[in-house]
């Protein structure tokens, strides 16, 4: 069996990853089992650089606020703003402080320098404007969508005025109150104003769709794409806030599901624009159901990757990442009867594994699930090895 496993091992190279796939997928997703480790971000950057140069990928999308990411895309596409400003304002979740993300933005901007628009590399965030502690107000997206339409279609076609939206939205702190995450009574998501906003947002998105031929001609496809992003974000946030106000046992499941639905819709929009590379936590990109415990409750939902894979088929590929040790977080050498333990015994410090072939090589052998002593690292699920197209294994993650 050890020989069979070695036959599934390859160097961490773009060409090696592509050889494991039947064809170049429209979305090639690289997952990570933990966030914020420079080792993994450096690996991502190197692999993505080669895939852009060798395979013609034209967008890099990461697990960050889709609205904030517009600041990054403007910078890498046209040089708007300084790198420091972009890192401060263009990322959510604190990702702008990570050296690996700063290097990624710097490289994309350098890559685009002097290239025609059709050959430039784009940047996208595909997460909603959501944090663990709160969700953003729908104001930015909803007002931006209304302004886009108001400047280009007859006023009689608009379902409301900007003043009406402003009155219904009220102050942003009503929407972003962190107490609402644990106390549904503090959420405004099921107020009369929020329910009316959901109807108006739906009408604005319908108007955007109905006026597509005129709008693309009057502006550009890029401007229309951005308006569609505003629409997806506004309706998604209003849906998320609605379920924040829910008091049923399914409340948290609804919230994590809505978040991944927003991610999936953004990824499908990115895919419609052309071949893209995606980076996020494994749990957002995997094909099987995602699970976690929150507040002592077990949650289970379909991830963005599962939703996208169901629609794109072989046009979606998922490469998971697994780790041996993260000693500075208390994650030591994996037990030998786990998948990570088997891979840790290989001589390579890092490698790409043919996941379906590894699952076949293991046959009836059932590796034990690895249990991480640190909540921030999610080990592989040995029951779903074959659901990944490949696995990147990194033996040891060093502290930055």
């Amino acid at each position: 069996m050890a020989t069979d496993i070695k036959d599934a091992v390859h160097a961490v190279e773009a060409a090696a990853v592509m050889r494991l796939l039947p064809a170049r997928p429209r979305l090639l997703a690289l997952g990570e089992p933990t966030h914020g480790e420079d080792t993994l971000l450096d690996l991502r950057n190197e692999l993505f650089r080669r895939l852009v140069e060798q395979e013609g990928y034209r967008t890099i999308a990461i697990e960050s606020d889709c609205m904030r990411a517009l600041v990054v895309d403007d910078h890498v596409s046209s040089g708007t703003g300084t790198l420091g400003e972009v890192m401060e304002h263009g990322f959510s979740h604190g990702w702008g402080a990570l050296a690996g993300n700063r290097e990624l933005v710097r490289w994309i901007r350098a890559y685009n320098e002097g290239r025609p628009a059709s050959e430039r590399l784009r940047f996208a965030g595909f997460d909603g404007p959501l944090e663990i502690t709160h969700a953003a107000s729908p104001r930015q997206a909803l007002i931006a969508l209304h302004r886009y339409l108001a400047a280009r279609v007859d006023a009689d076609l608009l379902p409301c005025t900007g003043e009406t939206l402003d009155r219904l939205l009220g102050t942003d702190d009503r929407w972003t109150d962190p107490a609402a995450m644990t106390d549904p009574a503090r959420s405004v998501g099921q107020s009369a104003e929020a329910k009316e906003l959901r109807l108006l947002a739906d009408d604005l998105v319908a108007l955007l769709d109905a006026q597509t031929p005129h709008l693309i001609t009057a502006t550009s496809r890029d401007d229309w794409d951005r308006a569609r992003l505003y629409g997806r974000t506004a309706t998604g946030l209003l849906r998320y806030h609605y379920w924040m106000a829910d008091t049923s046992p399914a409340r948290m499941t609804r919230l994590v599901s809505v978040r991944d639905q927003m991610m999936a819709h953004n990824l499908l929009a990115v895919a419609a624009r052309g071949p893209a590379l995606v980076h996020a936590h494994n749990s957002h990109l995997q094909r099987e159901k995602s699970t976690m415990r929150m507040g002592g409750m077990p949650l289970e939902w379909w991830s963005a990757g599962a939703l996208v894979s169901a629609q794109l088929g072989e046009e979606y590929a998922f490469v998971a990442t697994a780790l041996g040790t993260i000693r500075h977080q208390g994650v030591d050498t994996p037990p030998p009867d786990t998948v990570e333990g088997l891979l840790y015994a290989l001589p390579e410090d890092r490698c790409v594994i043919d996941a379906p072939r590894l699952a076949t090589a293991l046959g009836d052998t059932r590796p034990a699930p690895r249990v991480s002593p640190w909540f921030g690292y999610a080990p592989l699920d040995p029951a779903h090895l074959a659901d990944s197209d490949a696995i990147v294994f990194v033996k040891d993650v060093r502290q930055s």
Side-chain angles (χ1 to χ4, degrees), residues 192-356:
E193 294 87 352
K195 290 177 180 178
E196 187 173 352
L197 284 168
R198 289 187 76 183
L199 293 173
L200 292 174
D202 184 68
D203 282 343
L204 287 168
V205 171
L207 179 59
L208 178 68
D209 289 343
Q211 294 291 316
T212 293
H214 161 65
L215 293 170
I216 289 177
T217 302
T219 57
S220 68
R221 182 167 290 272
D222 275 353
D223 288 341
W224 176 75
D225 274 339
R226 188 165 288 198
R228 292 180 70 212
L229 172 62
Y230 299 150
R232 290 194 304 275
T233 305
T235 55
L237 279 173
L238 287 164
R239 187 178 302 114
Y240 192 90
H241 281 287
Y242 179 89
W243 288 112
M244 284 186 75
D246 182 48
T247 57
S248 77
R251 176 177 183 265
M252 291 308 301
T253 298
R254 290 280 194 177
L255 290 177
V256 293
S257 295
V258 169
R259 181 187 180 194
D260 270 82
Q261 285 176 321
M262 292 177 71
M263 287 183 170
H265 293 157
N266 285 331
L267 285 177
L268 289 170
V270 167
R273 196 166 65 191
L277 301 166
V278 181
H279 187 251
H281 198 279
N282 287 334
S283 63
H284 291 305
L285 301 176
Q286 63 195 33
R287 291 187 175 94
E288 68 270 21
K289 272 192 169 181
S290 297
T291 59
M292 68 181 296
R293 296 188 70 86
M294 184 174 288
M297 293 179 55
L299 306 180
E300 187 177 90
W301 74 100
W302 290 109
S303 74
L307 297 171
V308 170
S309 180
Q311 292 201 44
L312 295 186
E314 289 188 350
E315 290 273 53
Y316 177 77
F318 169 51
V319 179
T321 297
L323 307 177
T325 71
I326 322 173
R327 299 191 194 279
H328 58 279
Q329 297 290 3
V331 181
D332 292 320
T333 305
D337 61 344
T338 63
V339 174
E340 289 91 342
L342 291 170
L343 299 178
Y344 197 82
L346 297 170
E348 292 83 2
D349 288 334
R350 56 184 64 184
C351 54
V352 171
I353 310 295
D354 183 334

Side-chain angles (χ1 to χ4, degrees), residues 132-135 173-188 244 251:
I132 292 174
T133 56
H134 67 277
D173 58 5
R174 297 171 65 235
W175 299 89
T176 58
D177 182 1
M181 185 55 72
T182 54
D183 181 2
R186 298 290 295 270
S187 172
V188 298
M244 284 186 75
R251 176 177 183 265

Side-chain angles (χ1 to χ4, degrees), residues 111-188:
Y111 178 89
N112 285 340
E113 194 70 42
R115 293 180 186 270
S118 61
E119 295 180 11
R120 289 176 195 156
L121 185 57
R122 304 289 297 275
F123 181 91
F126 68 94
D127 201 354
L130 306 169
E131 297 288 352
I132 292 174
T133 56
H134 67 277
S137 164
R139 173 183 300 279
Q140 181 186 4
L142 199 52
I143 295 297
L145 174 61
H146 185 274
R147 286 175 177 166
Y148 173 84
L149 290 168
R152 295 166 179 86
V153 302
D154 293 339
D156 291 345
L157 295 176
L158 293 168
C160 63
T161 64
E163 290 75 14
T164 297
L165 291 179
D166 192 61
R167 174 179 58 80
L168 292 170
L169 285 162
T171 59
D172 286 347
D173 58 5
R174 297 171 65 235
W175 299 89
T176 58
D177 182 1
M181 185 55 72
T182 54
D183 181 2
R186 298 290 295 270
S187 172
V188 298

Side-chain angles (χ1 to χ4, degrees), residues 381-393:
D381 183 346
H384 291 284
L385 285 180
D387 290 331
S388 301
D389 295 287
I391 298 167
V392 171
F393 182 72

